[in-house]
Amino acid sequence: MQIQADEALLLSELATLATFTHAEPVSEGTAVTRIVFSPDDLHARAWLKQLATAEGFEVRADAVGNLFIRWSGTDPSLPAVATGSHIDAIPHAGMYDGTVGVLGGLEAMRALKRSGLQPRRSIELVMFTSEEPTRFGIGCLGSRLMSGTLDPKQADALREANEPADTAKTLVEVRTAAGFTGDLDSVRLAPNHYHAWLELHIEQGPLLEREGIPLGIVTSIAAPAGYRFTISGLGGHAGALLMPDRKDALCAAAELILSIERHTLATRAIDTVATVGTCDVHPGAVNSVPSRVVLQLDIRDTDPARRESVMQAVRSDIEELRQRRSVIITEQLINADAPAQSSPHIVELIEEVCAAQGISPKKMVSRAYHDTLFMARIAPIAMLFIPCRNGVSHRPDEYATPADTTLGVQVLASVLAKLASE
Ligand code: HGY
Ligand code: MN
Ligand code: MN
C-alpha cells in the first residue's frame, strides 16, 4: 500500500489556517493569535469542517466544542483509532503548534483513503477545544473533560483569566455564545473509547534539529502544574508613603518569583522547569505603591514528587516573606497533573514503520504538555515529534520544514493504518 501525503496541499492548508488570526504581521515569521472561541477560532473551525465534509468524513462537535472528524471503518462497532491536536494559539505565537497535528492528521486520513485502504477500525481526527490556557487559565480544557480529569461544573464556572473580575465571562457563557450548548457531562468518553491515540506535534525544543533526526517518538510527557499567587500589601502615594511604612506587594512578588527560580534550579534536574508567566500589578500606576499583585506559576517535571518538593520549599520562603514584609500571600491551585507514559505497543509500531522507511527516530520526553497527556487516562497513547527550527515555539518564527512535516504525516498515516487493522 503506497501512502503518499500531498505536501503542497498540506502546506497550503497550514498557510490558510494561519490567516485566521488577530495578530499584527511581523517580519520574523508568521504571527498567529487565535484565542479559543474568538471569531478567528470559530472561522477556522468552520473552515476545517468544510475540508472534512468535502472528503466525505462525518463531523460532529461536543458540548465544549471538541471537533470529531470520523472515517468509518468496515467494522464501525469497534473502538476507533484516533489522532489530532489543537488549533488555538497563544498571543503572538507561530503557525505550527497544534496545527501540524490537526491538518497533518487530516492529510494522513486522506492519504490513506487515496491509497485505497479500507480501515477495519474507524479512524477519527479530534480537534480539541482550548489546549492553550490563555483564555480560561487552564490548558487542555477539551481533553480534560473528555478524560474526566476536570469536573464539568468547575469547568463551566471558569472565568476569563485575563479580564477584570467584574467583566470576565465564564466558560458556559462563552461556549454557549459560540453555539456549543448541552451539558458538559456529555463530553466525557468511556475508558478505552478509543483503541489507540497518536498525536503528531512539533517538538517545541531543539534536540531533533540539533541531532539531525527527522522524527521523535515521545515515550513520556512531563507533568504540568499551575498555581495562582495573590500578594496583598498596602498601597499608597509613591512620594508621600515613606519606605519604612510600606508593604509593597510587587517587591514581595519579586522575592517570590526569585524563590521559585532558586528552588527549581536547586533540584539540579533538567526535567524540573518553572515559569511565572504573568504578573498583574494593582493599581498599576507609576506613582502608586503596588497594593496587590497576582502571579501565575507554570511548573513542570517528569517526576511529580520532585515538582512538589520545589513547591514545599517555596512555601517555606512564603512564610518568611509574609512575616518580614507584613503582606498577605494566598496560593490557589489551578491544576497539578500526573505525567503520562506512552504505550510500548504503539511505540513498537512506530519503530517498525520507521525501520521500513529507513528512519532512525529519537525516543524523547515531551516537556510541553499536550492533549495526549489527558488522552492517556482513557486510551493507550503515543506522540510523534517533528523538528522545529532552533527549537523555537510560541513565537512567530516557529517553523517546521515541508520535508519534516510530510515525513511526520507519512509515518502517522502508516501507524494509523496498522492500528486500524488490529
Ligand atoms: O504549554 C504547553 O506546554 C502547551 O504548548 N500548551
Ligand atoms: Mn502551545
Ligand atoms: Mn501544542
Side-chain angles (χ1 to χ4, degrees), residues 86 97 131-133 201 204 298 300 367-370 394:
H86 62 99
D97 173 9
E131 190 272 351
E132 298 292 3
H201 204 284
Q204 297 178 303
D298 174 322
R300 312 182 189 196
R367 295 196 171 83
Y369 60 72
H370 304 278
H394 283 191

Side-chain angles (χ1 to χ4, degrees), residues 211-378:
E211 298 174 31
I213 299 174
L215 197 80
I217 304 177
V218 172
T219 52
S220 68
I221 303 172
Y227 297 86
R228 187 170 290 120
F229 290 100
T230 302
I231 301 101
S232 305
L234 188 66
H237 194 289
L241 183 56
L242 301 179
M243 296 306 280
D245 303 333
R246 291 188 179 196
K247 297 175 182 175
D248 187 320
L250 188 51
C251 290
E255 286 203 56
L256 173 48
I257 294 168
L258 290 175
S259 156
I260 290 165
E261 183 190 48
R262 187 171 60 253
H263 292 299
T264 303
L265 291 169
T267 68
R268 310 185 75 73
I270 193 76
D271 286 338
T272 316
V273 292
T275 314
V276 174
T278 66
C279 175
D280 291 321
V281 181
H282 180 82
V286 64
N287 57 348
S288 175
V289 178
S291 57
R292 189 182 69 248
V293 172
V294 179
L295 303 176
Q296 287 188 90
L297 165 62
D298 174 322
I299 179 169
R300 312 182 189 196
D301 201 322
T302 51
D303 174 353
R306 190 168 50 204
R307 183 186 72 198
E308 186 51 31
S309 72
V310 173
M311 292 308 297
Q312 288 302 37
V314 168
R315 288 179 187 122
S316 62
D317 281 2
I318 285 175
E319 204 36 54
E320 191 277 332
L321 255 179
R322 281 190 184 110
Q323 307 301 332
R324 178 163 47 86
R325 286 184 172 273
S326 308
V327 292
I328 298 166
I329 302 178
T330 58
E331 169 190 328
Q332 182 198 353
L333 170 67
I334 298 166
N335 64 289
D337 301 302
Q341 307 305 321
S342 291
S343 146
H345 170 59
I346 303 176
V347 170
E348 208 176 296
L349 289 182
I350 298 169
E351 289 178 307
E352 278 172 26
V353 166
C354 288
Q357 297 189 18
I359 303 162
S360 311
K362 174 185 179 66
K363 289 187 177 176
M364 55 204 301
V365 168
S366 173
R367 295 196 171 83
Y369 60 72
H370 304 278
D371 293 300
T372 300
L373 179 67
F374 301 99
M375 297 309 281
R377 274 103 169 127
I378 54 171

